[in-house]
Amino acid sequence: MQNKYTGKAVGLSILFMGFGQWYNKQLFKGFLLFLFGLAGVVFIVSQGFRRIAGLITLGDTPRSIVKSGDVYIPVAGDHSVFLMVEGLISLLGVIFILLVYVLNVRDAYKVAGQRERGVQPHSFAQTLQHIRYRHFPYLILAIPAIFVVFLNVMPLIFSILIAFTNYAAPVLPPANLLDWVGFRVFQNLLTLKTWSRTFYGVLTWTIIWAVLATATTYVAGTLVAVLVSQQDVRLKKMWRTLLIVPFAIPNLVSLLVFRNLLNSEFGPINQYLKWFGLQGLPWLTDPFWAKVTVLMVNLWLGMPLIMVLVSGILTTIPRDLYESAEVDGARAWDKFRQITLPMVMFSAAPVLIMQFAANINNFNVIFMLTDGNPLISNYQYAGATDLLVTWLYKLTLTNNQYNFASVIGLIIFVLVAGLSIYNYRKTQSYKEDDIIQ
């Protein structure tokens, strides 16, 4: 009696979707799976193979111009980007169909095993009831998962594919067909002097910027929060309100104001310096001072957020710890170093990691304040203050270097994801969470 039902049910479900369910006397479920399998076969035969082939070839027929008498008529050809997108969507669709096919075989095997043990298979209504009570979270999570696949995963895969093509001016669709070039773009970015000089320079500044921008805002915000929270400080609400104003004003407005204030020629700050007999500084036109300027402006914009965060953490520290430290003769610096700072770091570490990742991709401060300038003569489409993300923007929207921009995007993703995951796993709060679980 062993495998009396299992072998036949699995074999029929492998033959076609729904056949195994029909054999297991689950007629309606089998009917739905049969319709899905039939639609899947029609899609794969009529569209899937052709579109996936287009993803592989990126087109065979270029656009051409045909002369008809005295008139030149353009004849449309294949569009490599469209073929890539359609092929990618079709590939994901085929993968989804295969996944349902595997689940169909698994379901037939599971139900057949129940029949061998003398258990009556569930009706369709009982199956829905089972899903409702046992698998309802997965059913609800499937909806956002589908959106994630098409709105996040698919564009990410598309950008990865672009990095392996020659999609850059002057080879632009639909006038030209794209070709797969393997790792040539990566190699050019890392070894070709015109590109590698820019890449290593921008990458170095991106890391320096992310570290300094995160550290300065954290240190300043923590110190301000600790000072305001002191018992002998009066008008605490007024100080907190004044210090939160930079965060309340939209970044766009603040950055445009600072851009005008720090203008080297007619900016008010340089004008005030000249009135006092001092020489104005090239805030936005000199590479060194431009970097100092963006760090100072970012400190002005980012410090209030850290101040609010640390202020909230300080209210959770028991006063007993400070009183015990005072009894033991601890000074203010000792209390800050031994009690306040460890407690703040424990709670704020995940936020700091998120801020570090955000600073690597801090497009607004750089682009709105300096536009990545001042220009450097031996840089390829980049300036002294350009981050990888602003360089990517210029490569894409200004210079049509889509494959190089795609490679930069992949490097940003690996850099941010790798550093964030590593640092987060090293934080004490993550280790404490592992212990609790």
Side-chain angles (χ1 to χ4, degrees):
M1 294 294 292
Q2 186 68 19
N3 297 330
K4 174 182 177 182
Y5 299 107
T6 304
K8 292 183 179 179
V10 171
L12 289 172
S13 63
I14 293 175
L15 181 63
F16 202 84
M17 285 191 196
F19 285 3
Q21 283 70 24
W22 282 341
Y23 177 77
N24 288 328
K25 300 180 180 180
Q26 293 181 309
L27 302 181
F28 195 70
K29 182 195 289 187
F31 178 70
L32 292 178
L33 288 172
F34 175 78
L35 289 180
F36 181 85
L38 186 62
V41 170
V42 172
F43 168 75
I44 292 174
V45 173
S46 62
Q47 301 288 334
F49 288 142
R50 178 176 59 83
R51 291 182 176 179
I52 293 175
L55 174 63
I56 297 173
T57 63
L58 296 181
D60 301 314
T61 307
R63 190 178 67 171
S64 60
I65 298 178
V66 178
K67 184 177 181 181
S68 178
D70 296 331
V71 180
Y72 290 91
I73 302 174
V75 179
D78 294 329
H79 197 302
S80 297
V81 175
F82 291 169
L83 291 176
M84 186 181 296
V85 174
E86 292 174 354
L88 183 57
I89 294 174
S90 298
L91 182 61
L92 292 176
V94 170
I95 292 174
F96 177 71
I97 292 171
L98 293 176
L99 177 62
V100 176
Y101 175 77
V102 172
L103 294 177
N104 148 77
V105 176
R106 180 177 177 273
D107 177 76
Y109 173 80
K110 181 179 178 180
V111 175
Q114 293 175 348
R115 292 184 65 190
E116 289 179 356
R117 296 191 300 270
V119 179
Q120 187 69 19
H122 288 169
S123 64
F124 187 71
Q126 290 174 323
T127 300
L128 292 180
Q129 196 78 358
H130 179 74
I131 293 174
R132 176 184 174 186
Y133 288 108
R134 295 291 300 275
H135 302 291
F136 183 74
Y138 299 104
L139 184 64
I140 297 300
L141 289 173
I143 298 174
I146 293 173
F147 283 97
V148 168
V149 168
F150 283 96
L151 298 180
N152 294 94
V153 176
M154 196 185 77
L156 178 62
I157 297 175
F158 175 75
S159 66
I160 293 174
L161 295 179
I162 289 294
F164 296 94
T165 68
N166 60 339
Y167 190 13
V171 182
L172 298 175
N176 305 97
L177 296 177
L178 301 182
D179 295 313
W180 296 106
V181 296
F183 289 93
R184 186 192 307 168
V185 183
F186 293 84
Q187 182 180 358
N188 291 340
L189 183 66
L190 298 176
T191 61
L192 198 62
K193 182 171 291 187
T194 54
W195 285 100
S196 63
R197 182 189 296 113
T198 309
F199 170 70
Y200 291 122
V202 174
L203 177 63
T204 302
W205 163 238
T206 300
I207 300 298
I208 294 173
W209 153 264
V211 172
L212 293 180
T214 305
T216 52
T217 53
Y218 175 73
V219 172
T222 301
L223 291 177
V224 170
V226 171
L227 290 174
V228 174
S229 66
Q230 298 300 307
Q231 292 182 346
D232 54 348
V233 173
R234 298 180 180 180
L235 304 175
K236 293 183 179 182
K237 292 184 179 179
M238 183 196 73
W239 289 113
R240 289 194 178 104
T241 302
L242 290 176
L243 292 170
I244 202 66
V245 167
F247 184 72
I249 299 175
N251 280 2
L252 175 63
V253 176
S254 298
L255 291 170
L256 291 178
V257 169
F258 272 110
R259 185 166 185 165
N260 288 314
L261 289 174
L262 297 167
N263 187 281
S264 300
E265 298 179 3
F266 56 81
I269 293 180
N270 274 355
Q271 296 296 330
Y272 291 143
L273 292 176
K274 291 177 181 178
W275 287 348
F276 288 102
L278 301 174
Q279 186 177 2
L281 293 173
W283 299 105
L284 303 176
T285 55
D286 179 76
F288 172 77
W289 283 107
K291 293 176 180 179
V292 173
T293 300
V294 294
L295 285 170
M296 291 191 302
V297 174
N298 182 75
L299 174 62
W300 168 264
L301 297 174
M303 184 268 293
L305 177 63
I306 299 298
M307 183 199 70
V308 172
L309 172 66
V310 174
S311 297
I313 297 173
L314 292 176
T315 61
T316 65
I317 300 177
R319 293 297 308 171
D320 298 344
L321 296 177
Y322 293 107
E323 294 173 359
S324 300
E326 291 173 358
V327 171
D328 293 336
R331 296 172 300 177
W333 168 248
D334 296 326
K335 289 187 290 184
F336 174 78
R337 185 170 56 89
Q338 299 293 339
I339 300 175
T340 305
L341 190 58
M343 297 290 286
V344 170
M345 281 297 297
F346 176 81
S347 300
V351 177
L352 279 178
I353 294 170
M354 291 176 58
Q355 211 176 34
F356 177 78
N359 280 324
I360 291 179
N361 291 316
N362 199 334
F363 180 87
N364 288 345
V365 172
I366 301 298
F367 189 79
M368 298 303 302
L369 194 61
T370 65
D371 197 20
N373 296 326
L375 296 175
I376 297 181
S377 59
N378 57 2
Y379 271 19
Q380 190 83 341
Y381 309 121
T385 58
D386 265 317
L387 305 179
L388 287 175
V389 66
T390 57
W391 187 32
L392 183 152
Y393 175 86
K394 291 179 179 179
L395 289 174
T396 304
L397 296 184
T398 307
N399 301 285
N400 297 326
Q401 300 292 320
Y402 298 102
N403 52 2
F404 282 100
S406 180
V407 174
I408 297 298
L410 291 177
I411 293 173
I412 294 173
F413 173 76
V414 173
L415 182 66
V416 173
L419 290 176
S420 299
I421 293 173
Y422 175 78
N423 290 321
Y424 182 67
R425 290 179 65 88
K426 290 295 182 181
T427 60
Q428 191 65 27
S429 56
Y430 178 84
K431 296 177 181 178
E432 291 286 340
D433 185 63
D434 277 349
I435 294 174
I436 292 174
Q437 291 179 0

